[in-house]
Amino acid sequence: MVFFNKDEQLENLGNSILDATWAAFGTLARNQIALTWVVYDPPVLVNTGGALTPNAFWDHPVRGFTYRGVERIYPASVVKLFYLVAVNEWLEKGMIQQASKELERALRDMIVDSSNDATSLVVDILSGTTSGVELPIGPFETWKYQRNIVNRYYQSLGWEEMETINACQKTWGDGPYGRERAFVGELLENRNMLTTNAIAKLLHSIVGGVAVSSGRSQAMMALLKRNLNDLPADTEENQVTGFLGGGLTENAQIWSKAGWTSQVRHDAAYIEIPEQRPYLLVVFTEGKAQAKSRAILPFVSKLVADAIASL
């Protein structure tokens, strides 16, 4: 069971969007895209500044569409969303000291600029581990157990969508070394893996103001906000150009976290367009050609925005 209801209208719209995307991008194979789309029909109970209790929020039905939404895919920097929520949970529960200036700086850089170095510190703080030289078997087993703490947290939520995810690795520019290389596995079998449904559910909880607490959800939303009108000059890194924000008009508002490597290009976003229903969209694409393409995600995003206007 996914957290949203499927319906015929969104199934038809979603399938036609996918068909149009495959028609426009000949190199995109059927198994190189995954998508989860959630529509917030009135009365809209998201982005309310925490007006709802968690029970009221989770009991309120939403509808959605998914294609390959349960496929495990390497998420690149989208995993940083999971570390963001986990840090806020640890702070809320007193599992780490109150937010220091350095932790606040790292969280901001991890989400706003997608810094891998900042993420490294965040993962160290979450798990009480550090990178370094390879470890003897005993200490390495302890280290690995500690590093899986974020996975245990998401399992503890009891959400079906979280059962298959893996969120325990740092994100790298050049790749892991030492104990980190041993931890990811000879064949990278222990890489981070997420599904678009799992990401959609987590983002849904943040937007709903029920991730950790209302105040912490709002603080996370503030970090995820992208400005479509005043983009940084560095188009490689602004998480809008070539991503879902690139397919929106300037009057739209977007809160998002993108991820990309030489093999994948992904984005997860909550979007508001004036006079339209707000919606949540997670799109993953895989393959070298797709990773390079700055056209696919904006193309899908524009079609989804057009579909929203038709509802």
Side-chain angles (χ1 to χ4, degrees):
M1 278 291 293
V2 281
F3 67 96
F4 52 84
N5 301 323
K6 297 181 179 178
D7 77 353
E8 194 181 352
Q9 184 187 36
L10 291 186
E11 289 290 315
N12 291 337
L13 287 168
N15 285 321
S16 68
I17 287 165
L18 284 166
D19 287 340
T21 305
W22 285 313
F25 300 95
T27 59
L28 180 67
R30 303 267 154 167
N31 66 349
Q32 288 181 317
I33 185 167
L35 180 152
T36 303
W37 174 31
V38 176
V39 177
Y40 298 108
D41 296 304
V44 175
L45 300 187
V46 290
N47 209 8
T48 59
L52 291 185
T53 65
N55 284 350
F57 177 73
W58 290 116
D59 287 346
H60 183 74
V62 291
R63 58 187 181 133
F65 167 81
T66 183
Y67 174 75
R68 298 182 70 240
V70 297
E71 295 293 331
R72 298 174 83 243
I73 296 169
Y74 177 68
S77 290
V78 179
V79 76
K80 293 167 185 174
L81 201 54
F82 285 68
Y83 297 151
L84 174 68
V85 173
V87 163
N88 277 279
E89 175 73 17
W90 275 220
L91 287 165
E92 186 78 6
K93 296 281 195 293
M95 289 162 64
I96 49 181
Q97 292 304 308
Q98 273 314 304
S100 64
K101 282 274 186 289
E102 268 308 89
L103 177 54
E104 284 178 12
R105 183 170 78 97
L107 286 176
R108 185 203 163 278
D109 292 352
M110 176 175 80
I111 300 299
V112 177
D113 303 324
S114 208
S115 162
N116 291 332
D117 291 350
T119 307
S120 179
L121 177 72
V122 170
V123 172
D124 286 348
I125 289 171
L126 282 168
S127 60
T129 63
T130 53
S131 303
V133 298
E134 290 174 81
L135 292 166
I137 289 172
F140 190 41
E141 285 306 310
T142 305
W143 186 94
K144 288 194 287 191
Y145 180 79
Q146 285 177 253
R147 271 298 278 277
N148 274 301
I149 191 169
V150 174
N151 280 327
R152 289 194 293 278
Y153 164 60
Y154 284 108
Q155 297 295 323
S156 77
L157 297 178
W159 296 353
E160 187 182 313
E161 292 88 351
M162 299 297 169
E163 286 172 9
T164 63
I165 71 163
N166 191 35
C168 62
Q169 302 289 347
K170 295 183 173 184
T171 51
W172 301 100
D174 296 331
Y177 292 88
R179 68 189 69 162
E180 298 284 355
R181 183 64 188 85
F183 183 49
V184 80
E186 195 63 41
L187 303 171
L188 307 182
E189 62 272 18
N190 195 32
R191 294 178 95 186
N192 288 333
M193 296 298 260
L194 297 176
T195 68
T196 59
N197 284 355
I199 297 154
K201 177 130 183 197
L202 189 66
L203 191 51
H204 176 66
S205 75
I206 298 170
V207 178
V210 298
V212 185
S213 71
S214 160
R216 291 195 180 278
S217 289
Q218 288 175 69
M220 290 187 261
M221 285 288 279
L223 290 175
L224 292 164
K225 185 85 170 74
R226 308 280 168 201
N227 187 339
L228 297 178
N229 303 310
D230 184 24
L231 290 174
D234 185 355
T235 55
E236 256 323 296
E237 302 287 339
N238 66 30
Q239 300 187 70
V240 171
T241 308
F243 295 97
L244 297 177
L248 299 173
T249 51
E250 284 191 350
N251 64 347
Q253 293 192 81
I254 181 169
W255 292 257
S256 69
K257 184 70 202 77
W260 65 101
T261 66
S262 61
Q263 299 291 333
V264 299
R265 182 176 283 261
H266 306 323
D267 204 2
Y270 166 71
I271 294 163
E272 293 182 353
I273 299 169
E275 313 300 321
Q276 312 287 357
R277 288 165 164 79
Y279 60 99
L280 191 155
L281 181 62
V282 183
V283 185
F284 272 27
T285 61
E286 296 182 273
K288 276 201 163 118
Q290 283 59 254
K292 276 204 190 90
S293 172
R294 288 186 175 191
I296 298 176
L297 293 184
F299 181 88
V300 173
S301 183
K302 183 180 185 315
L303 291 183
V304 171
D306 292 345
I308 285 284
S310 76
L311 294 179

